[in-house]
Amino acid sequence: MTLLRIEDLHVHFPVRTGRFGGTPALVRAVDGVSLSVAENETLAVVGESGCGKSTTGNAVLGLAPVTAGRILFEGQDLAGLDARARQKAWREMQVVFQDPVSALNPRRTIAQSIAEPMIIHKWAAAKITARVNELMSLVGLNPDQRDRRPGALSGGQRQRVVIARALALNPKLVICDEPVSALDVSIQSQILNLLMRLQRELGLSYLFIAHDLSVVRHIADRVAVMYLGVVVEEGPALELFATPIHPYTEALLSAIPLPDPHMRDRRDRIVLEGDLPSPLEPPAGCPFVTRCPLAEDRCSQERPKLLAVNPSHKARCHVRVTNSN
Ligand SMILES: Nc1ncnc2c1ncn2[C@@H]1O[C@H](COP(=O)(O)OP(=O)(O)O)[C@@H](O)[C@H]1O
Ligand SMILES: [Mg+2]
């Protein structure tokens, strides 16, 4: 069953550019994104910094304004719910951000940090103590460490504390916004393995945000690749890694280091030149046109639609996907 459905989401931020009070302008951070996450599924959202991944997650959590479009949780449009029902839906969605240092109050003990959501929901003290111990064991922390402060922990242990707190109220969906990007590479796979085990044991769904594809290779069931506020390709993870369609997905894939030197030599490396264009002035046609090695005339004139290449795999590219598919 579909747990979360995002329909044609737009998030535009009014800003002022230039000097002397500036000229009003609009940042099109998210510009028509549709995604869904099924129960017990991991959807990875991948793309360069600034492409709108966090804003998409934040809109789901009520932390960014929805300019247009709908967000449905368990089939219900969040905008149509009364305040109480919306709070209940948000309790079923939790978030793990990139930086466990800023997510944890340095003066609080681990137990106090994990207990925060239960205190807000006025649980009895004895029940909180028991649940904190249970959560610490669940995420691989020794309950003996409950009185330590974040400063005494490693980065990986701090992220385990953040994950324990996110799970305190038994959410159904966890939005993981680059949860391993701030960690040492050697620790990243431990946290990814933990998230995968928790998903199996608790039946969780993840909206898993990352800026490179290598991080999501093992954890993702499906992958959506974002570029400049839109999804340019979406499909089952295995298929997208094996047969990418969009040239941007190819470029992201070619940036992943390969362990086998033969494979490395055989593969053409696609190097992306320049930066992501400004979401204040996105290109008129295909958003990727300014950096695309395949760009043709119509790519700078007409915006390609996200079209299906098979029932589960879609891409937005004039050159690679045509209407006849
Ligand atoms: N509150 C805001 N006001 C203005 N612009 C914003 C705001 N939040 C994000 N943006 C802009 O929206 C774009 C997408 O940002 P974000 O969703 O954080 O990207 P990502 O998470 O993919 O790195 C960026 O250009 C960013 O500068
Ligand atoms: Mg982000």
Side-chain angles (χ1 to χ4, degrees), residues 107-164:
R107 288 184 296 276
R108 296 218 173 126
T109 65
I110 294 177
Q112 285 168 338
S113 285
I114 298 175
E116 277 165 23
M118 297 174 258
I119 292 169
I120 292 169
H121 284 88
K122 302 193 167 58
W123 286 30
K127 208 175 143 196
I128 293 180
T129 306
R131 179 73 174 144
V132 167
N133 288 343
E134 180 186 34
L135 287 163
M136 287 185 71
S137 307
L138 186 68
V139 301
L141 291 168
N142 186 341
D144 290 348
Q145 300 183 319
R146 50 182 295 130
D147 294 325
R148 293 223 188 154
R149 280 168 225 279
L153 302 181
S154 69
Q157 286 173 321
R158 283 190 210 115
Q159 200 58 305
R160 287 175 197 266
V161 174
V162 172
I163 292 167

Side-chain angles (χ1 to χ4, degrees), residues 254-267:
S254 84
I256 298 180
L258 284 179
D260 178 350
H262 295 293
M263 286 294 288
R264 223 180 288 154
D265 291 343
R266 277 172 39 201
R267 189 178 61 180

Side-chain angles (χ1 to χ4, degrees), residues 49-50 52-55 98 177-178 209:
S49 177
K53 307 178 298 292
S54 295
T55 305
Q98 174 174 339
D177 191 345
E178 308 222 20
I209 295 170

Side-chain angles (χ1 to χ4, degrees), residues 6-15 26-33 52-71 78-79 86 90:
I6 300 172
E7 291 178 353
D8 200 22
L9 176 69
H10 291 71
V11 180
H12 297 169
F13 295 107
V15 291
L26 216 49
V27 177
R28 298 170 176 273
V30 179
D31 211 18
V33 163
K53 307 178 298 292
S54 295
T55 305
T56 302
N58 287 344
V60 172
L61 295 161
L63 305 173
V66 174
T67 309
R70 300 202 304 166
I71 296 166
L78 291 183
R86 200 177 310 136
W90 277 329

